[in-house]
Amino acid sequence: MSKPTLVDLIIAARWIIPVVPENTLLTDHAVIINQGEILAILPQSEVDQHYTLSEQGQQFQLDQHAVIPGLINSHSHTPMSLLKGYADDTALQTWLEDHIWPAEGRHVSAEFVRDGSRLAIAEMIKTGTTCFADMYFFPEETAEVCHEAGMRAQVTIPVMDFPTAWGSGPDEYLEKGAGLLETYKNSELVTIGFGPHAPYTVSDDAFKATVALADQWQAPIQTHLHETAFEVDEGIKASGIRPSARLHKLGVLTPATQCVHMTQIDESDIELLLSTGAHVVHCPESNLKLASGFCPVDTLMKAGVNVALATDGSASNNDLDMFSEMRTAALLAKAVSKDAEALSAQQALTMATLNGAKALGISDRVGSLEVGKKADICAIGMSDLALQPIYNPVSQMVYCNNSQNVSHVWINGQTVMSDRALQTLNEAEIIANAQQWGDTIRAGSQEA
Ligand SMILES: [Zn+2]
């Protein structure tokens, strides 16, 4: 008999839900990991025969737990975590123009972005997210915090027609973006993409320049699109065609493009999405809170469009909890399609994992627990009273889980949370720092 292979991480759990193959539930299995990569998934009784821990290796025996691929939050504005609860219960345009943009004008800086990203990333790890896509100013700060935290991310370079604290306009944003692409071209964790904000804040020329640079670097593009009926109506008034058609004309829609929101969809939009291979990122709680409209996810998915899931920024949600987002998505899909079979618990989990990885162009590396993929993994303690009895762990996880039950998180094979204790970030410091920012931002709005 051959000697057991040395490995550095073994995660043994009561249930493993790999997402691929679909609808698979493995009982009393273990995930074997070495140097950040999944080597095998096998019954616990067979582990010792084939594998043994290296000297520095760690084994987790999680007998009351379910293990799933780490969740992927496909759209956020992480630094806006510092503005959560700052201006609630107002419509999108008022919210942006009267509250959020003025506050950002007063406070956004490299420091604001660094601290806000740290707060957001800590919250995401604590709620089982192992990868997120971001769109905000000073993206170099967010990217750096990802490395510090061991977090995977697609960080996009914001592009819009007007000046901000980060730059004077599209030319400068894109120039800075090219620098970031160069810095992170070999990063294991951070992918740099482009984030032209929305059709109503980005001119044709700026979109074209973004597409040219994205092509050159093979970089993904993420943009807000068809968030509200107002946006579509105004877009048609300004250019004579739907914003989706305008973006297509400008070459924006490709298999590397993520269209965020898409609450206004007609037949022509579905055709465009299918023919270009562009992805949809669904943000149900943000759409509900801003009364933006409803993305018809059931229709899109049945048509064959890839739909990923996201929280959007904390200021319009107000959290970054992908468990609550899965539940909202599953419930809302049933209401919108008037079909209780729409978006099952398993489909909601796939939307929050594999579909996210596909949208971000990283499904060869993450999004499911499969041999050869990176070990981005989340464990959930299932012994909580509210979860009993358990007939179907995926159903419990989507419909009645509290994300406080997330116990362990690994990213790229690194333990970033163990028994709810963050391993790479200082939670107490992050809380104190967020409270300080709260005081500063409150004082700023009183002076204004
Ligand atoms: Zn957004």
Side-chain angles (χ1 to χ4, degrees):
M1 210 171 89
S2 60
K3 261 177 51 184
T5 309
L6 276 181
V7 295
D8 55 29
L9 180 60
I10 296 176
I11 303 168
R14 170 88 186 271
W15 294 290
I16 292 175
I17 297 135
V19 172
V20 172
E22 232 178 310
N23 299 319
T24 303
L25 175 67
L26 304 169
T27 307
D28 297 326
H29 273 57
V31 188
I32 313 295
I33 294 143
N34 198 44
Q35 296 191 340
E37 198 175 295
I38 299 174
L39 289 192
I41 302 174
L42 75 179
Q44 289 182 32
S45 56
E46 293 173 19
V47 171
D48 291 349
Q49 219 179 308
H50 302 285
Y51 300 98
T52 188
L53 275 183
S54 63
E55 214 170 297
Q56 303 296 320
Q58 274 188 301
Q59 173 148 4
F60 294 84
Q61 189 65 40
L62 306 173
D63 294 330
Q64 303 287 329
H65 300 66
V67 159
I68 59 172
L71 302 174
I72 298 179
N73 186 348
S74 297
H75 174 69
S76 190
H77 312 277
T78 53
M80 291 182 86
S81 280
L82 291 174
L83 293 169
K84 76 166 82 97
Y86 172 76
D88 285 339
D89 310 319
T90 50
L92 176 65
Q93 290 305 321
T94 322
W95 179 72
L96 281 176
E97 288 166 17
D98 297 352
H99 304 283
I100 295 299
W101 287 341
E104 287 182 332
R106 284 192 293 274
H107 300 290
V108 170
S109 62
E111 199 189 358
F112 174 97
V113 169
R114 196 163 52 243
D115 291 349
S117 296
R118 217 175 261 138
L119 172 65
I121 290 170
E123 182 189 347
M124 287 194 274
I125 292 174
K126 293 209 80 165
T127 51
T129 291
T130 55
C131 177
F132 69 103
D134 212 46
M135 181 195 286
Y136 209 69
F137 317 109
F138 299 94
E140 66 277 15
E141 300 291 336
T142 304
E144 239 183 83
V145 179
C146 289
H147 268 238
E148 168 192 320
M151 183 69 156
R152 196 181 300 283
Q154 169 190 284
V155 176
T156 61
I157 295 142
V159 180
M160 44 176 63
D161 290 340
F162 43 88
T164 64
W166 192 56
S168 55
D171 291 347
E172 194 180 349
Y173 300 143
L174 291 173
E175 194 189 308
K176 286 185 166 182
L180 260 186
L181 281 156
E182 182 61 41
T183 308
Y184 284 93
K185 67 181 179 194
N186 296 320
S187 170
E188 268 274 311
L189 292 172
V190 176
T191 307
I192 302 293
F194 290 90
H197 175 259
Y200 56 94
T201 48
V202 182
S203 68
D204 285 4
D205 284 347
F207 266 122
K208 279 190 215 157
T210 303
V211 169
L213 205 52
D215 269 359
Q216 186 191 327
W217 283 88
Q218 302 274 293
I221 292 181
Q222 179 165 101
T223 186
H224 296 109
L225 186 60
H226 292 199
E227 183 168 2
T228 62
F230 178 77
E231 173 200 329
V232 176
D233 293 344
E234 291 297 300
I236 293 171
K237 268 189 223 162
S239 63
I241 50 175
R242 291 170 75 75
S244 55
R246 175 177 155 235
L247 261 52
H248 180 48
K249 245 176 78 181
L250 296 168
V252 178
L253 304 182
T254 75
T257 305
Q258 307 135 20
C259 308
V260 182
H261 297 306
M262 296 304 275
T263 72
Q264 311 299 313
I265 298 256
D266 69 8
E267 279 298 319
S268 71
D269 296 320
I270 293 180
E271 264 168 46
L272 265 187
L273 290 165
L274 287 174
S275 65
T276 60
H279 308 266
V280 169
V281 179
H282 178 38
C283 305
E285 292 187 3
S286 175
N287 294 157
L288 285 166
K289 185 156 184 270
L290 294 168
S292 301
F294 308 112
C295 174
V297 289
D298 189 51
T299 309
L300 287 172
M301 288 171 82
K302 281 180 180 150
V305 176
N306 180 50
V307 183
L309 187 65
T311 59
D312 208 349
S314 246
S316 66
N317 188 301
N318 293 356
D319 59 47
L320 302 171
D321 181 347
M322 287 291 285
F323 280 96
S324 97
E325 211 67 39
M326 281 193 282
R327 183 189 316 189
T328 307
L331 297 178
L332 188 64
K334 296 171 201 318
V336 169
S337 63
K338 299 187 176 67
D339 177 3
E341 290 180 13
L343 204 69
S344 66
Q346 181 70 44
Q347 284 176 312
L349 179 62
T350 303
M351 197 185 239
T353 52
L354 188 62
N355 292 7
K358 285 179 184 167
L360 305 187
I362 52 174
S363 59
D364 57 331
R365 280 179 279 157
V366 295
S368 56
L369 303 181
E370 290 180 85
V371 171
K373 282 199 176 182
K374 299 293 179 184
D376 285 14
I377 300 175
C378 162
I380 303 125
M382 301 291 282
S383 55
D384 188 357
L385 176 145
L387 303 183
Q388 313 312 317
I390 299 173
Y391 301 109
N392 176 346
V394 178
S395 219
Q396 299 309 74
M397 175 176 311
V398 170
Y399 290 118
C400 60
N401 185 48
N402 178 328
S403 58
Q404 301 292 318
N405 292 323
V406 172
S407 61
H408 298 73
V409 175
W410 298 267
I411 302 174
N412 223 26
Q414 182 185 13
T415 311
V416 293
M417 183 167 80
S418 182
D419 273 324
R420 292 213 53 74
L422 294 177
Q423 304 294 299
T424 52
L425 293 169
N426 183 329
E427 189 168 347
E429 226 171 75
I430 291 171
I431 294 171
N433 183 272
Q435 287 168 344
Q436 253 173 30
W437 271 107
D439 292 342
T440 307
I441 292 167
R442 195 180 300 109
S445 72
Q446 279 156 5
E447 276 165 30

